[in-house]
mmCIF file of all heavy atoms in Angstrom:
data_model
loop_
_atom_site.group_PDB
_atom_site.id
_atom_site.type_symbol
_atom_site.label_atom_id
_atom_site.label_comp_id
_atom_site.label_asym_id
_atom_site.label_seq_id
_atom_site.Cartn_x
_atom_site.Cartn_y
_atom_site.Cartn_z
ATOM 1 N N ARG A 26 15.286 -1.924 -5.737
ATOM 2 C CA ARG A 26 15.230 -1.234 -4.444
ATOM 3 C C ARG A 26 16.435 -0.322 -4.260
ATOM 4 O O ARG A 26 17.584 -0.774 -4.325
ATOM 5 C CB ARG A 26 15.173 -2.277 -3.328
ATOM 6 C CG ARG A 26 15.086 -1.696 -1.928
ATOM 7 C CD ARG A 26 14.750 -2.751 -0.882
ATOM 8 N NE ARG A 26 15.585 -3.912 -0.929
ATOM 9 C CZ ARG A 26 16.253 -4.423 0.112
ATOM 10 N NH1 ARG A 26 16.186 -3.815 1.281
ATOM 11 N NH2 ARG A 26 16.958 -5.504 -0.014
ATOM 12 N N PRO A 27 16.202 0.958 -3.973
ATOM 13 C CA PRO A 27 17.327 1.887 -3.777
ATOM 14 C C PRO A 27 18.059 1.610 -2.469
ATOM 15 O O PRO A 27 17.529 0.988 -1.545
ATOM 16 C CB PRO A 27 16.647 3.258 -3.737
ATOM 17 C CG PRO A 27 15.266 3.047 -4.269
ATOM 18 C CD PRO A 27 14.904 1.637 -3.914
ATOM 19 N N ALA A 28 19.261 2.107 -2.399
ATOM 20 C CA ALA A 28 20.039 1.991 -1.168
ATOM 21 C C ALA A 28 19.324 2.689 -0.025
ATOM 22 O O ALA A 28 18.731 3.761 -0.193
ATOM 23 C CB ALA A 28 21.424 2.603 -1.368
ATOM 24 N N GLY A 29 19.347 2.052 1.162
ATOM 25 C CA GLY A 29 18.788 2.658 2.349
ATOM 26 C C GLY A 29 17.315 2.401 2.567
ATOM 27 O O GLY A 29 16.785 2.769 3.614
ATOM 28 N N TRP A 30 16.648 1.784 1.608
ATOM 29 C CA TRP A 30 15.221 1.484 1.762
ATOM 30 C C TRP A 30 15.044 0.080 2.321
ATOM 31 O O TRP A 30 15.704 -0.871 1.883
ATOM 32 C CB TRP A 30 14.498 1.564 0.419
ATOM 33 C CG TRP A 30 14.130 2.946 -0.008
ATOM 34 C CD1 TRP A 30 14.970 3.875 -0.562
ATOM 35 C CD2 TRP A 30 12.837 3.558 0.060
ATOM 36 N NE1 TRP A 30 14.278 5.032 -0.832
ATOM 37 C CE2 TRP A 30 12.969 4.868 -0.474
ATOM 38 C CE3 TRP A 30 11.594 3.132 0.506
ATOM 39 C CZ2 TRP A 30 11.896 5.747 -0.566
ATOM 40 C CZ3 TRP A 30 10.513 4.015 0.413
ATOM 41 C CH2 TRP A 30 10.667 5.300 -0.107
ATOM 42 N N ALA A 31 14.123 -0.073 3.272
ATOM 43 C CA ALA A 31 13.712 -1.396 3.731
ATOM 44 C C ALA A 31 12.847 -2.028 2.647
ATOM 45 O O ALA A 31 12.076 -1.335 1.962
ATOM 46 C CB ALA A 31 12.940 -1.287 5.039
ATOM 47 N N GLY A 32 12.969 -3.342 2.514
ATOM 48 C CA GLY A 32 12.269 -4.029 1.437
ATOM 49 C C GLY A 32 10.775 -3.809 1.434
ATOM 50 O O GLY A 32 10.173 -3.490 0.398
ATOM 51 N N LYS A 33 10.122 -3.962 2.589
ATOM 52 C CA LYS A 33 8.672 -3.822 2.626
ATOM 53 C C LYS A 33 8.240 -2.387 2.375
ATOM 54 O O LYS A 33 7.257 -2.142 1.654
ATOM 55 C CB LYS A 33 8.111 -4.313 3.965
ATOM 56 C CG LYS A 33 6.592 -4.233 4.018
ATOM 57 C CD LYS A 33 6.024 -4.684 5.351
ATOM 58 C CE LYS A 33 4.517 -4.468 5.406
ATOM 59 N NZ LYS A 33 3.940 -4.822 6.725
ATOM 60 N N VAL A 34 8.948 -1.423 2.954
ATOM 61 C CA VAL A 34 8.554 -0.024 2.765
ATOM 62 C C VAL A 34 8.698 0.370 1.298
ATOM 63 O O VAL A 34 7.872 1.111 0.753
ATOM 64 C CB VAL A 34 9.379 0.913 3.671
ATOM 65 C CG1 VAL A 34 8.932 2.360 3.490
ATOM 66 C CG2 VAL A 34 9.237 0.512 5.130
ATOM 67 N N TRP A 35 9.742 -0.144 0.626
ATOM 68 C CA TRP A 35 9.897 0.140 -0.790
ATOM 69 C C TRP A 35 8.730 -0.456 -1.588
ATOM 70 O O TRP A 35 8.184 0.197 -2.478
ATOM 71 C CB TRP A 35 11.217 -0.402 -1.314
ATOM 72 C CG TRP A 35 11.379 -0.230 -2.801
ATOM 73 C CD1 TRP A 35 11.465 -1.197 -3.750
ATOM 74 C CD2 TRP A 35 11.459 1.021 -3.510
ATOM 75 N NE1 TRP A 35 11.591 -0.657 -5.008
ATOM 76 C CE2 TRP A 35 11.593 0.714 -4.887
ATOM 77 C CE3 TRP A 35 11.425 2.358 -3.122
ATOM 78 C CZ2 TRP A 35 11.704 1.701 -5.868
ATOM 79 C CZ3 TRP A 35 11.530 3.339 -4.108
ATOM 80 C CH2 TRP A 35 11.664 3.000 -5.461
ATOM 81 N N ALA A 36 8.325 -1.673 -1.253
ATOM 82 C CA ALA A 36 7.190 -2.282 -1.938
ATOM 83 C C ALA A 36 5.911 -1.484 -1.676
ATOM 84 O O ALA A 36 5.081 -1.297 -2.577
ATOM 85 C CB ALA A 36 7.018 -3.732 -1.481
ATOM 86 N N MET A 37 5.734 -1.012 -0.452
ATOM 87 C CA MET A 37 4.576 -0.152 -0.144
ATOM 88 C C MET A 37 4.608 1.113 -0.997
ATOM 89 O O MET A 37 3.581 1.550 -1.542
ATOM 90 C CB MET A 37 4.571 0.206 1.343
ATOM 91 C CG MET A 37 4.288 -0.964 2.278
ATOM 92 S SD MET A 37 4.735 -0.623 4.019
ATOM 93 C CE MET A 37 3.658 0.769 4.404
ATOM 94 N N SER A 38 5.792 1.693 -1.130
ATOM 95 C CA SER A 38 5.942 2.910 -1.920
ATOM 96 C C SER A 38 5.614 2.656 -3.386
ATOM 97 O O SER A 38 4.981 3.494 -4.050
ATOM 98 C CB SER A 38 7.371 3.440 -1.777
ATOM 99 O OG SER A 38 7.581 4.590 -2.569
ATOM 100 N N GLU A 39 6.022 1.511 -3.895
ATOM 101 C CA GLU A 39 5.706 1.153 -5.273
ATOM 102 C C GLU A 39 4.196 0.999 -5.461
ATOM 103 O O GLU A 39 3.641 1.351 -6.501
ATOM 104 C CB GLU A 39 6.424 -0.138 -5.658
ATOM 105 C CG GLU A 39 7.924 0.004 -5.780
ATOM 106 C CD GLU A 39 8.324 0.818 -7.006
ATOM 107 O OE1 GLU A 39 8.349 2.066 -6.898
ATOM 108 O OE2 GLU A 39 8.593 0.222 -8.057
ATOM 109 N N GLY A 40 3.535 0.469 -4.435
ATOM 110 C CA GLY A 40 2.089 0.349 -4.499
ATOM 111 C C GLY A 40 1.401 1.700 -4.495
ATOM 112 O O GLY A 40 0.420 1.922 -5.216
ATOM 113 N N VAL A 41 1.908 2.617 -3.681
ATOM 114 C CA VAL A 41 1.339 3.971 -3.638
ATOM 115 C C VAL A 41 1.534 4.666 -4.981
ATOM 116 O O VAL A 41 0.636 5.373 -5.473
ATOM 117 C CB VAL A 41 1.985 4.787 -2.500
ATOM 118 C CG1 VAL A 41 1.601 6.259 -2.604
ATOM 119 C CG2 VAL A 41 1.571 4.236 -1.152
ATOM 120 N N ARG A 42 2.687 4.453 -5.589
ATOM 121 C CA ARG A 42 2.950 5.051 -6.903
ATOM 122 C C ARG A 42 1.913 4.590 -7.927
ATOM 123 O O ARG A 42 1.394 5.387 -8.717
ATOM 124 C CB ARG A 42 4.363 4.677 -7.365
ATOM 125 C CG ARG A 42 4.787 5.320 -8.683
ATOM 126 C CD ARG A 42 6.251 5.013 -8.965
ATOM 127 N NE ARG A 42 6.449 3.601 -9.232
ATOM 128 C CZ ARG A 42 6.419 3.052 -10.462
ATOM 129 N NH1 ARG A 42 6.165 3.809 -11.522
ATOM 130 N NH2 ARG A 42 6.629 1.766 -10.610
ATOM 131 N N ALA A 43 1.595 3.295 -7.902
ATOM 132 C CA ALA A 43 0.580 2.767 -8.821
ATOM 133 C C ALA A 43 -0.818 3.267 -8.444
ATOM 134 O O ALA A 43 -1.627 3.602 -9.318
ATOM 135 C CB ALA A 43 0.618 1.243 -8.816
ATOM 136 N N ALA A 44 -1.094 3.329 -7.133
ATOM 137 C CA ALA A 44 -2.421 3.767 -6.678
ATOM 138 C C ALA A 44 -2.669 5.223 -6.999
ATOM 139 O O ALA A 44 -3.810 5.629 -7.264
ATOM 140 C CB ALA A 44 -2.552 3.540 -5.170
ATOM 141 N N ASP A 45 -1.622 6.032 -6.995
ATOM 142 C CA ASP A 45 -1.781 7.474 -7.180
ATOM 143 C C ASP A 45 -2.329 7.852 -8.546
ATOM 144 O O ASP A 45 -2.785 8.982 -8.736
ATOM 145 C CB ASP A 45 -0.443 8.188 -6.949
ATOM 146 C CG ASP A 45 -0.235 8.541 -5.485
ATOM 147 O OD1 ASP A 45 -1.182 8.369 -4.701
ATOM 148 O OD2 ASP A 45 0.869 8.987 -5.134
ATOM 149 N N ARG A 46 -2.310 6.923 -9.478
ATOM 150 C CA ARG A 46 -2.854 7.242 -10.795
ATOM 151 C C ARG A 46 -4.347 7.566 -10.726
ATOM 152 O O ARG A 46 -4.872 8.320 -11.528
ATOM 153 C CB ARG A 46 -2.602 6.081 -11.763
ATOM 154 C CG ARG A 46 -1.135 5.911 -12.145
ATOM 155 C CD ARG A 46 -0.985 5.022 -13.363
ATOM 156 N NE ARG A 46 -1.344 3.644 -13.082
ATOM 157 C CZ ARG A 46 -0.496 2.707 -12.668
ATOM 158 N NH1 ARG A 46 0.788 3.024 -12.485
ATOM 159 N NH2 ARG A 46 -0.884 1.465 -12.457
ATOM 160 N N SER A 47 -5.027 6.986 -9.722
ATOM 161 C CA SER A 47 -6.463 7.271 -9.561
ATOM 162 C C SER A 47 -6.739 8.240 -8.421
ATOM 163 O O SER A 47 -7.898 8.542 -8.134
ATOM 164 C CB SER A 47 -7.229 5.965 -9.326
ATOM 165 O OG SER A 47 -6.790 5.340 -8.119
ATOM 166 N N ARG A 48 -5.673 8.707 -7.759
ATOM 167 C CA ARG A 48 -5.785 9.685 -6.671
ATOM 168 C C ARG A 48 -6.823 9.292 -5.629
ATOM 169 O O ARG A 48 -7.773 10.033 -5.336
ATOM 170 C CB ARG A 48 -6.125 11.069 -7.225
ATOM 171 C CG ARG A 48 -5.184 11.587 -8.292
ATOM 172 C CD ARG A 48 -3.791 11.807 -7.763
ATOM 173 N NE ARG A 48 -3.733 12.935 -6.841
ATOM 174 C CZ ARG A 48 -2.632 13.288 -6.149
ATOM 175 N NH1 ARG A 48 -1.527 12.567 -6.259
ATOM 176 N NH2 ARG A 48 -2.651 14.324 -5.340
ATOM 177 N N PRO A 49 -6.709 8.134 -5.011
ATOM 178 C CA PRO A 49 -7.693 7.723 -3.997
ATOM 179 C C PRO A 49 -7.565 8.581 -2.746
ATOM 180 O O PRO A 49 -6.494 9.096 -2.429
ATOM 181 C CB PRO A 49 -7.307 6.277 -3.706
ATOM 182 C CG PRO A 49 -5.826 6.245 -3.936
ATOM 183 C CD PRO A 49 -5.610 7.162 -5.123
ATOM 184 N N GLU A 50 -8.658 8.719 -2.019
ATOM 185 C CA GLU A 50 -8.609 9.465 -0.769
ATOM 186 C C GLU A 50 -7.941 8.644 0.328
ATOM 187 O O GLU A 50 -7.252 9.188 1.196
ATOM 188 C CB GLU A 50 -10.023 9.849 -0.321
ATOM 189 C CG GLU A 50 -10.056 10.656 0.968
ATOM 190 C CD GLU A 50 -11.456 11.087 1.360
ATOM 191 O OE1 GLU A 50 -12.316 11.215 0.470
ATOM 192 O OE2 GLU A 50 -11.693 11.293 2.567
ATOM 193 N N LEU A 51 -8.139 7.335 0.291
ATOM 194 C CA LEU A 51 -7.632 6.452 1.327
ATOM 195 C C LEU A 51 -6.797 5.322 0.717
ATOM 196 O O LEU A 51 -7.150 4.780 -0.336
ATOM 197 C CB LEU A 51 -8.794 5.845 2.120
ATOM 198 C CG LEU A 51 -9.667 6.835 2.901
ATOM 199 C CD1 LEU A 51 -10.966 6.165 3.330
ATOM 200 C CD2 LEU A 51 -8.922 7.357 4.126
ATOM 201 N N VAL A 52 -5.721 4.985 1.402
ATOM 202 C CA VAL A 52 -4.885 3.854 1.006
ATOM 203 C C VAL A 52 -4.877 2.858 2.156
ATOM 204 O O VAL A 52 -4.623 3.228 3.311
ATOM 205 C CB VAL A 52 -3.442 4.288 0.687
ATOM 206 C CG1 VAL A 52 -2.574 3.073 0.356
ATOM 207 C CG2 VAL A 52 -3.429 5.270 -0.482
ATOM 208 N N LEU A 53 -5.169 1.608 1.842
ATOM 209 C CA LEU A 53 -5.147 0.545 2.843
ATOM 210 C C LEU A 53 -3.891 -0.285 2.637
ATOM 211 O O LEU A 53 -3.774 -1.034 1.670
ATOM 212 C CB LEU A 53 -6.387 -0.347 2.708
ATOM 213 C CG LEU A 53 -6.416 -1.612 3.583
ATOM 214 C CD1 LEU A 53 -6.372 -1.258 5.069
ATOM 215 C CD2 LEU A 53 -7.633 -2.469 3.256
ATOM 216 N N PHE A 54 -2.915 -0.129 3.537
ATOM 217 C CA PHE A 54 -1.721 -0.959 3.499
ATOM 218 C C PHE A 54 -2.040 -2.260 4.230
ATOM 219 O O PHE A 54 -2.407 -2.239 5.417
ATOM 220 C CB PHE A 54 -0.546 -0.255 4.180
ATOM 221 C CG PHE A 54 -0.083 0.988 3.469
ATOM 222 C CD1 PHE A 54 -0.308 2.248 4.013
ATOM 223 C CD2 PHE A 54 0.569 0.907 2.250
ATOM 224 C CE1 PHE A 54 0.116 3.399 3.365
ATOM 225 C CE2 PHE A 54 1.000 2.057 1.587
ATOM 226 C CZ PHE A 54 0.768 3.294 2.144
ATOM 227 N N THR A 55 -1.914 -3.367 3.545
ATOM 228 C CA THR A 55 -2.256 -4.642 4.165
ATOM 229 C C THR A 55 -1.288 -5.715 3.712
ATOM 230 O O THR A 55 -0.761 -5.672 2.596
ATOM 231 C CB THR A 55 -3.706 -5.046 3.820
ATOM 232 O OG1 THR A 55 -4.029 -6.261 4.486
ATOM 233 C CG2 THR A 55 -3.902 -5.214 2.321
ATOM 234 N N ASP A 56 -1.010 -6.676 4.577
ATOM 235 C CA ASP A 56 -0.071 -7.746 4.258
ATOM 236 C C ASP A 56 -0.753 -8.850 3.465
ATOM 237 O O ASP A 56 -1.976 -9.036 3.531
ATOM 238 C CB ASP A 56 0.526 -8.323 5.541
ATOM 239 C CG ASP A 56 1.493 -7.361 6.207
ATOM 240 O OD1 ASP A 56 1.896 -6.369 5.554
ATOM 241 O OD2 ASP A 56 1.851 -7.595 7.378
ATOM 242 N N ALA A 57 0.059 -9.620 2.757
ATOM 243 C CA ALA A 57 -0.475 -10.679 1.907
ATOM 244 C C ALA A 57 -1.121 -11.803 2.699
ATOM 245 O O ALA A 57 -1.935 -12.556 2.161
ATOM 246 C CB ALA A 57 0.641 -11.242 1.019
ATOM 247 N N ASP A 58 -0.782 -11.934 3.963
ATOM 248 C CA ASP A 58 -1.332 -13.032 4.772
ATOM 249 C C ASP A 58 -2.613 -12.644 5.510
ATOM 250 O O ASP A 58 -3.147 -13.440 6.279
ATOM 251 C CB ASP A 58 -0.301 -13.511 5.796
ATOM 252 C CG ASP A 58 0.025 -12.444 6.827
ATOM 253 O OD1 ASP A 58 0.508 -11.378 6.435
ATOM 254 O OD2 ASP A 58 -0.218 -12.671 8.028
ATOM 255 N N ILE A 59 -3.135 -11.438 5.263
ATOM 256 C CA ILE A 59 -4.302 -10.948 5.998
ATOM 257 C C ILE A 59 -5.587 -11.219 5.224
ATOM 258 O O ILE A 59 -5.721 -10.838 4.059
ATOM 259 C CB ILE A 59 -4.190 -9.450 6.292
ATOM 260 C CG1 ILE A 59 -2.921 -9.159 7.105
ATOM 261 C CG2 ILE A 59 -5.420 -8.959 7.036
ATOM 262 C CD1 ILE A 59 -2.873 -9.841 8.458
ATOM 263 N N ALA A 60 -6.555 -11.865 5.894
ATOM 264 C CA ALA A 60 -7.885 -12.115 5.331
ATOM 265 C C ALA A 60 -8.886 -11.185 6.006
ATOM 266 O O ALA A 60 -8.861 -11.018 7.229
ATOM 267 C CB ALA A 60 -8.284 -13.570 5.535
ATOM 268 N N TYR A 61 -9.777 -10.599 5.199
ATOM 269 C CA TYR A 61 -10.761 -9.638 5.693
ATOM 270 C C TYR A 61 -12.164 -10.223 5.663
ATOM 271 O O TYR A 61 -12.545 -10.899 4.701
ATOM 272 C CB TYR A 61 -10.728 -8.364 4.848
ATOM 273 C CG TYR A 61 -9.502 -7.512 5.069
ATOM 274 C CD1 TYR A 61 -8.304 -7.807 4.423
ATOM 275 C CD2 TYR A 61 -9.528 -6.424 5.930
ATOM 276 C CE1 TYR A 61 -7.173 -7.036 4.631
ATOM 277 C CE2 TYR A 61 -8.406 -5.644 6.155
ATOM 278 C CZ TYR A 61 -7.225 -5.953 5.501
ATOM 279 O OH TYR A 61 -6.105 -5.192 5.720
ATOM 280 N N GLY A 62 -12.936 -9.937 6.718
ATOM 281 C CA GLY A 62 -14.346 -10.281 6.711
ATOM 282 C C GLY A 62 -15.077 -9.475 5.649
ATOM 283 O O GLY A 62 -14.563 -8.448 5.186
ATOM 284 N N PRO A 63 -16.277 -9.886 5.250
ATOM 285 C CA PRO A 63 -16.987 -9.259 4.128
ATOM 286 C C PRO A 63 -17.124 -7.743 4.205
ATOM 287 O O PRO A 63 -16.973 -7.055 3.214
ATOM 288 C CB PRO A 63 -18.364 -9.938 4.166
ATOM 289 C CG PRO A 63 -18.107 -11.265 4.797
ATOM 290 C CD PRO A 63 -17.038 -11.020 5.815
ATOM 291 N N GLY A 64 -17.386 -7.182 5.382
ATOM 292 C CA GLY A 64 -17.563 -5.735 5.495
ATOM 293 C C GLY A 64 -16.432 -5.039 6.209
ATOM 294 O O GLY A 64 -16.601 -3.901 6.676
ATOM 295 N N ALA A 65 -15.274 -5.671 6.276
ATOM 296 C CA ALA A 65 -14.177 -5.121 7.076
ATOM 297 C C ALA A 65 -13.661 -3.792 6.537
ATOM 298 O O ALA A 65 -13.401 -2.857 7.305
ATOM 299 C CB ALA A 65 -13.040 -6.134 7.171
ATOM 300 N N VAL A 66 -13.482 -3.685 5.229
ATOM 301 C CA VAL A 66 -12.963 -2.435 4.660
ATOM 302 C C VAL A 66 -13.954 -1.299 4.889
ATOM 303 O O VAL A 66 -13.572 -0.188 5.264
ATOM 304 C CB VAL A 66 -12.648 -2.606 3.166
ATOM 305 C CG1 VAL A 66 -12.304 -1.255 2.532
ATOM 306 C CG2 VAL A 66 -11.478 -3.575 2.979
ATOM 307 N N ALA A 67 -15.244 -1.580 4.689
ATOM 308 C CA ALA A 67 -16.258 -0.558 4.960
ATOM 309 C C ALA A 67 -16.220 -0.137 6.430
ATOM 310 O O ALA A 67 -16.387 1.041 6.757
ATOM 311 C CB ALA A 67 -17.645 -1.077 4.595
ATOM 312 N N GLY A 68 -15.986 -1.087 7.328
ATOM 313 C CA GLY A 68 -15.893 -0.765 8.750
ATOM 314 C C GLY A 68 -14.718 0.138 9.059
ATOM 315 O O GLY A 68 -14.823 1.056 9.889
ATOM 316 N N LEU A 69 -13.594 -0.093 8.393
ATOM 317 C CA LEU A 69 -12.431 0.771 8.585
ATOM 318 C C LEU A 69 -12.731 2.191 8.124
ATOM 319 O O LEU A 69 -12.384 3.170 8.803
ATOM 320 C CB LEU A 69 -11.235 0.211 7.808
ATOM 321 C CG LEU A 69 -10.654 -1.119 8.292
ATOM 322 C CD1 LEU A 69 -9.663 -1.654 7.265
ATOM 323 C CD2 LEU A 69 -9.965 -0.957 9.643
#
């Protein structure tokens, strides 16, 4: 983690870096403790 970065935001940024390899139109930032109903992502 670089100086001046908050831990969670840096982890989010690392996730975006990995996600960008497929150039998705949408990124869903979600916490590890969050459970989704079967069609929740489609609803979003």
Side-chain angles (χ1 to χ4, degrees):
R26 181 168 51 127
W30 279 78
K33 182 181 175 183
V34 182
W35 175 245
M37 292 164 61
S38 178
E39 291 289 85
V41 169
R42 184 174 67 92
D45 272 352
R46 290 195 292 269
S47 62
R48 306 296 290 175
E50 181 177 334
L51 297 165
V52 177
L53 173 61
F54 294 109
T55 183
D56 289 346
D58 65 299
I59 302 299
Y61 288 82
V66 172
L69 293 169

